[in-house]
Amino acid sequence: MTDLARQKPPHVADEPTALGAFLDFQRATLEEKCAGLDDAQLRSASVAPSTLTLLGLVRHLADVERHWFRRVLNGEDVPPRYYDDENPEGDFEFSAEDTWEEAFAAWREEVAVARAAVRGRAMDSLSTGKHHRSGDPVDVRWLHLHMIEEYARHNGHADLIRERIDGATGV
């Protein structure tokens, strides 16, 4: 099992522990939804006309982690991994040369960086970068809540895609 082994968040915990545990639970849920599938299955869309795939979701969430924790929280000047102005859907669109191994490793790397970025930071500490729409800083609390929401939404997508692939369901 990986270090993102799915563990239920504690029922009683301080705020940083609770928010971190809920976020890690959502991250591990995504990993679980992708486990045991081959390349063709990971590239398989749920149902036409949707092109949403598990591979695309992992690439997208690697970029989401990168954006919020590196670019916004830490103010790093790093480009997105998979999309750009010319291809804004590049995280969801991929070629035959793009591999699950690369996408999964990139996602795992961004999760590790994100964990390190918040380690020891107070929940009310502000980002050094700015929110991409409002231009305002965000605090670590907001960032955790936003990421939990982002993963929960996409894990719902992943659950439907996985069920379509092999019938596997579950929370």
Side-chain angles (χ1 to χ4, degrees):
M1 206 78 192
T2 67
D3 71 337
L4 279 180
R6 209 161 148 229
Q7 297 178 16
K8 296 250 184 214
H11 291 125
V12 177
D14 60 67
E15 186 181 27
T17 301
L19 290 175
F22 270 91
L23 180 52
D24 277 342
F25 181 81
Q26 293 297 325
R27 288 168 171 153
T29 298
L30 177 67
E31 185 172 341
E32 189 173 281
K33 292 297 171 187
C34 298
L37 299 176
D38 64 27
D39 186 67
Q41 291 170 316
L42 292 162
R43 293 169 178 271
S44 177
S46 58
V47 63
S50 175
T51 59
L52 194 59
T53 65
L54 293 170
L55 175 58
L57 284 173
V58 168
R59 287 165 51 104
H60 172 68
L61 287 163
D63 264 333
V64 169
E65 295 268 2
R66 185 177 184 91
H67 172 75
W68 288 108
F69 291 98
R70 287 189 181 200
R71 296 168 75 186
V72 174
L73 183 63
N74 286 343
E76 292 180 39
D77 185 20
V78 293
R81 285 181 176 267
Y82 299 111
Y83 68 89
D84 56 32
D85 290 340
E86 293 174 17
N87 187 10
E89 296 296 318
D91 42 358
F92 291 111
E93 299 169 355
F94 42 84
S95 70
E97 291 79 40
D98 294 315
T99 67
W100 165 253
E101 291 77 15
E102 184 281 327
F104 186 65
W107 175 73
R108 294 294 303 247
E109 178 184 330
E110 296 302 338
V111 167
V113 170
R115 284 177 170 163
V118 298
R119 192 173 296 119
R121 275 178 128 146
M123 286 287 124
D124 59 353
S125 65
L126 295 178
S127 62
T128 56
K130 306 293 185 201
H131 187 284
H132 65 289
R133 291 192 179 111
S134 70
D136 297 325
V138 299
D139 66 19
V140 173
R141 177 183 300 102
W142 184 94
L143 187 56
H144 274 86
L145 292 168
H146 175 69
M147 291 299 293
I148 291 165
E149 176 271 333
E150 181 87 16
Y151 271 95
R153 179 170 15 97
H154 288 311
N155 282 338
H157 299 137
D159 196 39
L160 293 171
I161 296 168
R162 180 65 189 248
E163 184 175 8
R164 174 90 169 147
I165 291 169
D166 66 1
T169 61
V171 286

